[in-house]
Amino acid sequence: MRSIIDELTTALGAEKIAVDATTLAAYAVDQAPVLDYQLPQAVVRAESVADVQATVRACAALGVALVARGAGTGVSGGAHASAGCVVLTLEGMNRILDLNPDDETAVVEPGVINADLNAAAAVHGLMYAPDPASFKMSTIGGNVATNAGGLRCAKYGVTRDSVLALDVVLADGSLIHTGHQTFKGVAGYDLTGLFVGSEGTLGIVVGVTVRLKYLPRDVHTIAAFYPDFRSAAAGVLAVGRARVQPAIMELLDGGSLAQLDDLHGSDLAARGASLLLIQTDGFGAAAEAAAIRPVLVAGGAVVTMEANAEAEELVELRRNSRGTEVDDEYRVGEDVAVPRSRLVDYVAELESMAAEHRVQLKVVAHAGDGNLHPTFWVDRVDNTVDPDAMARLGAALDRSIAVALAMGGTITGEHGIGQYKLRWLGLEQKEPVRELQRRIKELFDPAGILNPGKAI
């Protein structure tokens, strides 16, 4: 019987198929901790919809698992290779097919870099609002797969809120179009919304129609430094009670500030023990900033209005606040979200559990929508960690999930379940909800070849 590599080579040509050890290793994982390291049989570099369809059909014919991926910037293991799989990279499908400034829409291939779409839209006074911290390298297809969020989602929403239509290759290789070109449309079930965030388990997105927003004419940035993280978290609620809607509202604790200073030579830690970074935009940016400043001062903050260059630097530092490390078994960044009214309580619990389990902790948060990214880690000595430290790290992670759920939160606000968070999914979603999801998966992918072992 012919091998999958033979079938792919016949269908696509040898130049689009890689089987060398270096490439296989490079495409075996994304940026998440690895629970089950597997090398793919081959990596396919798709350049067209026809390439994707041919790859899916070949894998379907032989029952071979297929893992689609973009830039590999995910942090939940959604693009980790499965045993015996083929990895399909969509990076080469990177064209902006249409950008209509009057309709305020764009049609892009999945490999388009988020920042590149923004640059093209800016020429027309528009922007693509979802802006994950990895926007300079993550792809729109990857953003769709995980329903990525970002700094601006406090005001503009997550990826799903900007996606109007999708072109999707199904598990049998057929191509469908979902959604509409209009901002409004309620015909039939919302299959577009279903595919967004499905992590490549229901189909492979090969085209995305997005809604663009107006590029703000004015932006004001406020830096509020607090003596402790809990006070800064309380500042988030105070802004909400003032009924002002910032575009960006980000929270960084003392550990994050110190790390950024070490990496970039900044002086953030000298200015306070926690930073609440707020940005207002649009024609009312100045008035909104003026309303916010006294609210923050009343809560004990030292508040400054940042000049343009300083403001841009602060926002850029926030985007880099995960640091230079990649998550592994010793350092795990979480992605919980809680109702905003519980932010202060949850922060207190995080600090308590870190002390109790004797693990290191730093926290950054998309505070405007209650999405926190606590990072727990244990220190290594000569690249080894004793089993007790690993057990303490695991206990802290489990506790952080349990407490978030008890507060009405979720185990993932924007990173997705992937492979890494499957262990906790049952705590949030009970039967029969999970059974319904498994049945949806079976309907779209009866042979179970699309990104198996992920998301559900």
Side-chain angles (χ1 to χ4, degrees):
M1 186 175 75
R2 285 165 59 86
S3 70
I4 185 62
I5 295 172
D6 292 335
E7 294 292 340
L8 291 170
T9 301
T10 299
L12 298 164
E15 69 280 0
K16 294 178 182 176
I17 316 298
V19 295
D20 61 284
T22 299
T23 302
L24 296 184
Y27 286 86
V29 296
D30 57 27
Q31 294 185 8
V34 180
L35 301 178
D36 178 29
Y37 182 78
Q38 300 285 343
L39 284 176
Q41 292 191 59
V43 174
V44 176
R45 295 187 172 94
E47 297 176 1
S48 66
V49 174
D51 288 348
V52 175
Q53 291 181 283
T55 303
V56 172
R57 286 169 180 149
C59 288
L62 296 180
V64 173
L66 181 60
V67 178
R69 62 176 276 152
T73 59
V75 290
S76 292
H80 285 350
S82 303
C85 79
V86 168
V87 168
L88 172 66
T89 174
L90 303 169
E91 297 163 287
M93 296 176 64
N94 57 6
R95 296 179 300 161
I96 298 175
L97 301 174
D98 181 59
L99 201 161
N100 189 319
D102 291 327
D103 286 341
E104 299 161 19
T105 60
V107 182
V108 303
E109 292 184 322
V112 169
I113 301 296
N114 185 300
D116 292 344
L117 174 56
N118 261 298
V123 174
H124 305 282
L126 298 167
M127 68 176 181
Y128 177 61
D131 65 331
S134 59
F135 81 107
K136 291 184 179 178
M137 51 187 164
S138 65
T139 63
I140 299 297
N143 295 166
V144 169
T146 59
N147 191 25
L151 276 65
R152 290 193 293 240
C153 35
K155 181 174 182 178
Y156 294 102
V158 295
T159 298
R160 183 178 284 115
D161 299 307
S162 289
V163 175
L164 298 174
L166 294 172
D167 298 300
V168 184
V169 173
L170 299 179
D172 62 357
S174 61
L175 177 67
I176 64 170
H177 179 80
T178 72
H180 37 78
Q181 301 294 119
T182 55
F183 294 165
K184 297 173 71 175
V186 294
Y189 295 133
D190 183 10
L191 295 182
T192 303
L194 178 62
F195 280 114
V196 177
S198 63
E199 302 187 48
T201 62
L202 302 179
I204 298 174
V205 172
V206 292
V208 188
T209 301
V210 299
R211 177 178 183 174
L212 304 174
K213 299 294 178 66
Y214 303 133
L215 193 66
R217 295 295 183 91
D218 194 16
V219 175
H220 284 247
T221 303
I222 303 167
F225 287 89
Y226 287 84
D228 60 79
F229 193 55
R230 298 182 202 180
S231 298
V236 175
L237 293 181
V239 172
R241 293 189 188 109
R243 301 300 183 248
V244 182
Q245 178 59 73
I248 291 175
M249 188 150 50
E250 299 292 310
L251 196 53
L252 296 90
D253 73 349
S256 300
L257 299 181
Q259 184 182 60
L260 287 173
D261 289 344
D262 289 342
L263 292 172
H264 303 284
S266 51
D267 66 344
L268 300 175
R271 299 171 67 180
S274 186
L275 168 63
L276 179 56
L277 181 64
I278 296 176
Q279 198 167 82
T280 59
D281 69 0
F283 287 106
E288 290 176 336
I292 289 172
R293 284 197 300 274
V295 170
L296 301 178
V297 170
V302 176
V303 180
T304 62
M305 283 292 294
E306 305 296 317
N308 285 342
E310 293 168 328
E312 290 176 10
E313 181 182 6
L314 272 178
V315 173
E316 187 63 23
L317 287 174
R318 163 59 188 95
R319 293 187 187 279
N320 294 324
S321 59
R322 282 181 60 83
T324 57
E325 312 99 324
V326 173
D327 290 354
D328 57 24
E329 62 267 41
Y330 312 108
R331 176 189 182 276
V332 180
E334 264 307 322
D335 173 40
V336 296
V338 297
R340 286 205 321 180
S341 63
R342 303 304 303 272
L343 266 176
V344 177
D345 299 331
Y346 189 68
V347 168
E349 290 281 358
L350 285 173
E351 293 174 342
S352 175
M353 68 186 70
E356 176 186 350
H357 296 291
R358 291 178 288 127
V359 297
Q360 304 292 328
L361 169 72
K362 71 183 186 75
V363 184
V364 297
H366 302 306
D369 51 22
N371 186 193
L372 300 100
H373 298 312
T375 297
F376 294 98
W377 75 95
V378 290
D379 293 321
R380 281 172 274 196
V381 179
D382 298 326
N383 288 323
T384 62
V385 174
D386 66 86
D388 177 64
M390 294 301 296
R392 287 187 279 108
L393 177 61
L397 288 169
D398 288 342
R399 181 65 180 159
S400 71
I401 294 294
V403 170
L405 291 174
M407 291 183 178
T410 176
I411 65 176
T412 175
E414 62 183 3
H415 292 165
I417 295 296
Q419 180 190 80
Y420 189 76
K421 295 179 184 174
L422 278 174
R423 70 182 90 175
W424 297 307
L425 183 58
L427 298 176
E428 178 172 341
Q429 294 188 334
K430 308 296 185 182
E431 303 291 348
V433 170
R434 294 193 71 188
E435 175 58 22
L436 284 172
Q437 295 191 59
R438 288 189 286 267
R439 288 164 62 185
I440 291 170
K441 165 70 170 172
E442 185 177 0
L443 174 65
F444 281 92
D445 180 21
I449 65 169
L450 296 180
N451 210 10
K454 317 287 177 57
I456 63 165

